[in-house]
Amino acid sequence: MLTRGQIDCISGEFIEKHTGRRIFVRGVNVPAKLPPFKHNLTHADLTRLMSWGLTAIRLVVPWESIEPREGVYDRDYMAYILATVRMCGSHGMAVIVDPHQDCWSRCLGGDGAPEWTLRRLGIRTENLTACCATTHDQSHAAMWVTNYELFGCATMFTLFFGSERFAPNVRVDGLSAQEWLQTRFIGAFSKVAAVLKHEKNVIGFGTMNEPSLGWIGVRDIYRCAKFWRFGYALSPIQCIQMAHGQSLRNVIFYGYPFIPFRIETLNPKKLYLSDIWPLDMKADHFALDEDPVSTFFRPFWTAFGSKIQEAGGNDLLIFTEAPLQHGPIHTTRHEVFSPHFYDIATIGLRCLVPCPIINPVSGWPTFSRKQAVHATMTGGAMIGETGTSWIGKNTALALEKNLIAIEENLVPAIFIWCYISNHTVDDGWNGENFSIWSNNQLRVKSVVRPYAFKVAGRVHIMEFRKGRFVLEFTDCLSMSSLETIIVVPFILNFEILISDGAYCIQNNHVVYTHTPGLASAMHRIDRKSTRLNSSHTVISYAVFCL
């Protein structure tokens, strides 16, 4: 089992502290976005996941579940989290706590922060929908992404990360909105860290799932910020006008990606929502010339990491996230940059788009998933989420292609979105349907794949294609162990071919000891003849049941 304090993250690699071996992790996200925020995991679920080789869980914990009322922490829920973590530990399952949010809050069509965070800032939440500050439209499973650009979500994220610069007059309890929001958020998850302080299988905490900059960096508030859109196409100034109760004519509504569906007149009936942003702002009010990550995210990561480690232990890793368009990300020793990777085109269009796919960093099409993953992972060591919607055609193949591309880039940690124990129709949130487990069966076999857990050397190739797993690595003299451990899921039948050394099988682990200082070797791997260095070692698996 992977335990806290066992690994460091150095130069985008997980390193085992006492041996220097490279560590690779395969896990799954377990969501609980809506009340009562229960994950419904059972011992049978954990046994199943471990048998698939998924040995770690990214456990979704929304802020609202911890602090439903300001200053009132739900002790029963934190006891539930503790019991869930201990159950995972009893099965050898590592846990990362994920402070999850989508679109800031449930009242904004997402999940995460409690509604009182908006009310304390003077936002009349009963008027959010009427003023088009959010949409709860579920006509398309990805419609909620538009909420990031509408008044409610964009305002809260702008204040959370940058009110001291862009809204200095907005204050709560004598503090800037930025300081007040971050203090409350960090304080809530510090309570969770304290409860889990002695749980060795908790290896770290995320900072915030898929954070947004809001309107920070928008150069012209009179223009729509994004070309890719669902729902209402509103510029920031139009969102602000609606919040002040003004009507808007000839607003385009996109009922499907890129395709205008109808034109509407939006009339909030003079409902006042908020005066956080004045109507006479300059067009470049939110413009930004410097790097937003170092300016706005870095201070938050530092404050969050400091308080979490103070409450839960200095050996906890801190898993950071930032909008993908703002890389590369440079991390400190205890930080792990953890972006997400999705095939946006396939999910949006509900069918496999083999080529081109959308590069999630640049937003432009690319002909290579491998290149798209490489761009996403600049400075990163973990894919916090990758998955596919099961709405549409050939989506299982899209997930397999994503996993192959991620492994080709030798990403140390991969967490699949998602596993829902009692899944039947959808994920229970915004019409999404991503669970790899449904109606008591595995939807796609490609998530069950062998991988190297600990490697006594520098890895050059680790891939699993068409039932064949290949690992290639070079000796490293700094290693204090010659043992390489490969996880082979129980449900796979396999034969083992090694170039040198010896191996033994222990449960679902293959423990391979290579011959150090190997000389004059030529190896054949895969279906092609390849000349390799004399110091390379190759392990090949032929897996027949896939």
Side-chain angles (χ1 to χ4, degrees), residues 2 23-28 49-50 52-57 93-94 381 403 406-408 410-416 447 449-453 462-463 469 487:
L2 202 61
I23 291 180
F24 292 83
V25 182
R26 297 292 182 270
V28 67
L49 291 171
M50 289 293 290
W52 294 346
L54 299 174
T55 60
I57 282 177
M93 185 82 71
L403 291 172
I406 292 168
E407 289 174 344
E408 284 179 336
L410 300 178
V411 176
I414 306 169
F415 283 75
I416 296 168
V447 303
R449 44 205 306 116
Y451 64 93
F453 175 38
M462 181 167 63
E463 62 181 30
F469 174 75
V487 174

Side-chain angles (χ1 to χ4, degrees), residues 8 33 36 42 82 84 219 229 279 284 329 362 415 473 509:
D8 275 332
K33 296 185 178 185
T42 65
L82 176 61
T84 300
R219 295 193 173 276
R229 63 174 53 260
L279 290 169
D284 62 350
I329 306 298
S362 67
F415 283 75
F473 64 95
H509 291 166

Side-chain angles (χ1 to χ4, degrees), residues 29 58 100 209-210 321 324 338-342 360 376-377 382-386:
N29 288 268
R58 185 170 175 259
H100 204 88
N209 178 75
E210 296 183 355
E321 292 185 50
L324 287 173
S338 310
H340 299 172
F341 183 83
Y342 286 99
T376 301
M377 291 305 298
M382 183 176 100
I383 293 285
E385 292 181 17
T386 188

Side-chain angles (χ1 to χ4, degrees), residues 234-460:
L234 296 175
S235 66
I237 192 60
Q238 288 177 316
C239 292
I240 293 167
Q241 289 168 348
M242 292 285 288
H244 281 266
Q246 296 184 3
S247 297
L248 297 179
R249 296 182 182 275
N250 301 324
V251 175
I252 299 174
F253 181 88
Y254 290 80
Y256 205 74
F258 301 111
I259 302 175
F261 183 68
R262 62 179 180 267
I263 297 177
E264 297 185 17
T265 294
L266 302 181
N267 181 9
K269 299 178 181 178
K270 302 302 179 184
L271 287 175
Y272 170 76
L273 177 63
S274 169
D275 62 355
I276 290 175
W277 310 113
L279 290 169
D280 59 352
M281 286 195 305
K282 295 181 179 179
D284 62 350
H285 179 81
F286 298 107
L288 193 67
D289 292 325
E290 65 266 37
D291 172 41
V293 172
S294 58
T295 303
F296 300 105
F297 283 91
R298 170 57 59 193
F300 166 64
W301 293 344
T302 300
F304 182 92
S306 175
K307 290 295 184 181
I308 293 298
Q309 289 182 334
E310 179 183 327
N314 292 328
D315 49 3
L316 288 170
L317 294 173
I318 304 300
F319 297 86
T320 61
E321 292 185 50
L324 287 173
Q325 292 78 10
H326 302 286
I329 306 298
H330 302 286
T331 58
T332 63
R333 187 176 184 85
H334 291 286
E335 285 182 0
V336 181
F337 182 51
S338 310
H340 299 172
F341 183 83
Y342 286 99
D343 182 345
I344 300 170
T346 293
I347 292 172
L349 298 176
R350 297 178 173 176
C351 63
L352 175 63
V353 181
C355 190
I357 69 166
I358 302 298
N359 185 320
V361 177
S362 67
W364 292 98
T366 177
F367 288 89
S368 169
R369 276 181 168 79
K370 183 177 181 180
Q371 291 176 1
V373 172
H374 180 75
T376 301
M377 291 305 298
T378 302
M382 183 176 100
I383 293 285
E385 292 181 17
T386 188
T388 191
S389 172
W390 305 107
I391 301 173
K393 298 180 179 179
N394 298 323
T395 51
L397 184 56
L399 178 56
E400 182 173 7
K401 287 179 177 291
N402 285 353
L403 291 172
I404 290 172
I406 292 168
E407 289 174 344
E408 284 179 336
N409 281 274
L410 300 178
V411 176
I414 306 169
F415 283 75
I416 296 168
W417 185 274
C418 59
Y419 180 91
I420 297 176
S421 175
N422 54 358
H423 189 280
T424 54
V425 179
D426 61 33
D427 297 350
W429 182 85
N430 269 328
E432 284 196 349
N433 193 345
F434 280 70
S435 178
I436 60 174
W437 176 255
S438 184
N439 293 303
N440 294 316
Q441 61 182 348
L442 178 64
R443 279 174 155 174
V444 54
K445 293 179 180 179
S446 62
V447 303
V448 181
R449 44 205 306 116
Y451 64 93
F453 175 38
K454 297 180 180 180
V455 182
R458 179 166 295 280
V459 180
H460 297 272

Side-chain angles (χ1 to χ4, degrees), residues 455-529:
V455 182
R458 179 166 295 280
V459 180
H460 297 272
I461 294 175
M462 181 167 63
E463 62 181 30
F464 181 60
R465 289 173 177 267
K466 297 181 179 180
R468 186 176 181 84
F469 174 75
V470 177
L471 171 69
E472 173 192 333
F473 64 95
T474 308
D475 289 358
C476 185
L477 296 178
S478 63
M479 301 286 174
S480 61
S481 173
L482 298 179
E483 288 188 347
T484 292
I485 301 174
I486 298 97
V487 174
V488 181
F490 280 122
I491 69 172
L492 301 183
N493 299 313
F494 60 92
E495 65 178 15
I496 300 173
L497 303 173
I498 61 175
S499 57
D500 60 273
Y503 71 89
C504 64
I505 298 176
Q506 301 175 359
N507 294 320
N508 66 329
H509 291 166
V510 174
V511 181
Y512 167 67
T513 304
H514 67 267
T515 303
L518 190 66
S520 64
M522 182 185 299
H523 305 284
R524 292 181 182 272
I525 61 174
D526 260 343
R527 296 179 178 177
K528 295 182 179 180
S529 179

